[in-house]
Amino acid sequence: MADIDQASVIPNETSPPALEGLNATDPNVTEAVNATVAKFVATPEGTALAYGSLVFMALLPIFFGALRSVSCGKSKNSSDMPETITGRDAARFPIIASCTLFGLYLFFKVSFVSNVATVVLSPESFPIFSQEYINLLLSMYFFVLGILALSHTMSPFMNRIFPANIPIKQYQLLFTQGSGEAKEEIVNYEFDTKDLICLVISTVVGVWYILKKHWIANNLFGLAFALNGVELLHLNNVSTGCILLGGLFVYDVFWVFGTNVMVTVAKSFEAPIKLVFPQDLLEKGLGASQFAMLGLGDIVIPGIFIALLLRFDVSLKKETRTYFYTSFLAYIFGLGMTIWVIKLFTEKFCFVE
C-alpha cells in the first residue's frame, strides 16, 4: 500500500500542448513542474477521505465474498466451482509469486533499456520491447477477465431486480474433448437472459476502462476480481491459511521494503490489480490525479482466510458467527494500523518513492 502519482497508476490525463512545449525547451520549467508534482501534500480531509474509502472498499469484497463462498460449492456451473488451496499449494505460492514478480521487473527493465537504445541508435525504428505495447496487451487481457468477473459479481443482484414480466431464456455453453465414451467436458457453463444483461453492462465498463483508464472503472474491475477471489479460492484448513499468510508476510517484507521491485512493477503495470482513490478529490473532483493505492493481494489473501472461518462457523451449525466476526474486526484493525504507520513514517522521515 502506498501513495503514488497519477502517471504511475492511471495515466488518463495529458499535459496541455503549451506546457509540453515549455517542458521541451526549458529544463528549468521541467524541474519546477516535477518538483510541484513530487511535493504534493494532501489535506487532512483528503487523506482521511481517500484512506477511509479504501478501507471501506476493501471490506466489501471480503464480507460479501465470504458469504457467497458458503454456497458457491453447490453450483452446477463449472465456472462457479471453488478452487481448493492445499498446504503444498500454500507453501509454493510465495516462491511462484516471487518468480513472477521478478520476471515482470526484468521485463519492464529490458523494455526501458530497449526504448532508450532505440531512441539513441535508431530513432526511426520501433523498439523490440515497448512498455506501451506490453501494457496494451495486458489491458486487453484484463479487459476480458474483468468483464467476466464483473458479470459474475453482478449476477446475484440482477436476479433480485430483474422484472418478473420479462421472459427468461436459458443457454448453455459446452466444450468437450474427444468422442464417444472418451468424451470429456472441458467447459459446461449455463446462463440465461439476466446473465447476458450483466455481460453487456460489464462490457460497457470494460470499454470505459480501456479508453479512459478512469479510476472508477479501475475500481469496479478491482472489486470484482477481489470478490471473485474470496468467493472461489478456498483454503482446505486453518493450517494451510497460516502457511500461506506466513509465507506471504516474508514475501511482502522482502519485495516491498527490501527492494524496489514491487514498487517498480506496480508503477509500470497498468492493470486493475489495485484499488485507488484520489486524495485531491475535494479540490479537483472526478478529475483528481493524486491517488492512494491498496493492492488486491492485501484484500484477497486475508479475505480467503476470513471466508474459511465463516464456513467453519456455518459447519458448527450455531447461530453465532464468532470466528468470522472476530477475524473480520481483526482485519479492520490491522489495515487501519498499517495505514496509520505508513502515514506516520512517511511524514516523519519524508520518504519519497
Side-chain angles (χ1 to χ4, degrees):
M1 180 163 43
D3 298 331
I4 48 184
D5 58 34
Q6 168 72 1
S8 59
V9 186
I10 305 179
N12 61 338
E13 300 291 340
T14 55
S15 301
L19 183 59
E20 291 181 354
L22 287 173
N23 290 344
T25 57
D26 191 348
N28 294 327
V29 173
T30 302
E31 291 184 8
V33 172
N34 292 337
T36 302
V37 173
K39 292 180 180 179
F40 167 78
V41 178
T43 62
E45 295 81 5
T47 300
L49 177 63
Y51 283 104
S53 299
L54 286 178
V55 171
F56 177 72
M57 287 191 293
L59 298 181
L60 290 178
I62 292 179
F63 185 83
F64 291 105
L67 293 178
R68 290 172 59 163
S69 74
V70 175
S71 57
C72 74
K74 302 175 183 179
S75 175
K76 296 181 180 180
N77 285 341
S78 59
S79 61
D80 292 339
M81 296 299 293
E83 182 73 23
T84 302
I85 301 175
T86 64
R88 184 179 181 182
D89 296 330
R92 292 188 301 180
F93 186 79
I95 300 175
I96 296 173
S98 296
C99 295
T100 303
L101 179 68
F102 191 64
L104 286 171
Y105 174 78
L106 293 178
F107 203 74
F108 282 120
K109 284 294 183 181
V110 171
S111 170
F112 175 77
V113 173
S114 175
N115 290 346
V116 173
T118 300
V119 171
V120 173
L121 301 178
S122 182
E124 69 280 358
S125 62
F126 294 98
I128 299 176
F129 298 103
S130 172
Q131 183 172 321
E132 179 182 354
Y133 300 149
I134 295 171
N135 278 314
L136 179 60
L137 180 62
L138 292 173
S139 295
M140 296 306 299
Y141 174 72
F142 280 99
F143 167 75
V144 176
L145 289 184
I147 289 176
L148 297 177
L150 188 57
S151 178
H152 181 264
T153 301
M154 293 172 55
S155 182
F157 303 102
M158 183 62 67
N159 291 336
R160 296 182 180 182
I161 65 174
F162 195 80
N165 58 345
I166 298 179
I168 299 177
K169 296 182 179 180
Q170 299 292 330
Y171 305 92
Q172 183 179 21
L173 184 63
L174 180 63
F175 286 97
T176 60
Q177 180 180 2
S179 60
E181 296 181 356
K183 182 181 292 185
E184 179 183 359
E185 288 187 1
I186 305 300
V187 175
N188 185 5
Y189 184 71
E190 298 177 359
F191 57 99
D192 54 28
T193 306
K194 294 176 290 187
D195 296 322
L196 287 179
I197 295 176
C198 292
L199 191 64
V200 171
I201 297 174
S202 302
T203 303
V204 172
V205 176
V207 173
W208 182 26
Y209 172 76
I210 287 291
L211 296 179
K212 299 295 184 180
K213 291 293 193 297
H214 198 276
W215 59 273
I216 295 179
N218 174 89
N219 286 347
L220 289 175
F221 273 174
L223 288 171
F225 285 138
L227 190 145
N228 280 275
V230 175
E231 176 187 357
L232 300 175
L233 293 176
H234 288 194
L235 297 169
N236 60 355
N237 53 51
V238 173
S239 61
T240 299
C242 293
I243 294 173
L244 181 64
L245 292 174
L248 290 179
F249 172 76
V250 178
Y251 166 89
D252 260 355
V253 169
F254 179 76
W255 291 114
V256 176
F257 300 103
T259 70
N260 69 334
V261 172
M262 181 74 78
V263 174
T264 301
V265 172
K267 290 185 174 184
S268 304
F269 198 62
E270 296 177 14
I273 56 172
K274 48 190 174 282
L275 300 180
V276 298
F277 198 91
Q279 299 186 69
D280 53 346
L281 179 68
L282 299 177
E283 294 84 5
K284 298 182 180 180
L286 295 180
S289 59
Q290 302 294 333
F291 291 91
M293 177 187 74
L294 180 64
L296 295 188
D298 297 326
I299 302 172
V300 175
I301 300 302
I304 61 177
F305 189 81
I306 295 172
L308 169 67
L309 297 181
L310 175 60
R311 295 193 298 275
F312 178 70
D313 277 329
V314 172
S315 69
L316 297 178
K317 298 181 180 180
K318 295 182 179 180
E319 295 296 328
T320 58
R321 300 288 184 260
T322 305
Y323 291 101
F324 171 68
Y325 287 119
T326 302
S327 59
F328 192 71
L329 291 175
Y331 174 77
I332 297 174
F333 175 78
L335 185 58
M337 183 63 68
T338 301
I339 293 173
W340 179 76
V341 169
I342 286 178
K343 295 304 295 181
L344 177 65
F345 276 78
T346 301
E347 293 174 359
K348 184 175 181 180
F349 297 103
C350 299
F351 290 158
V352 178
E353 293 179 355

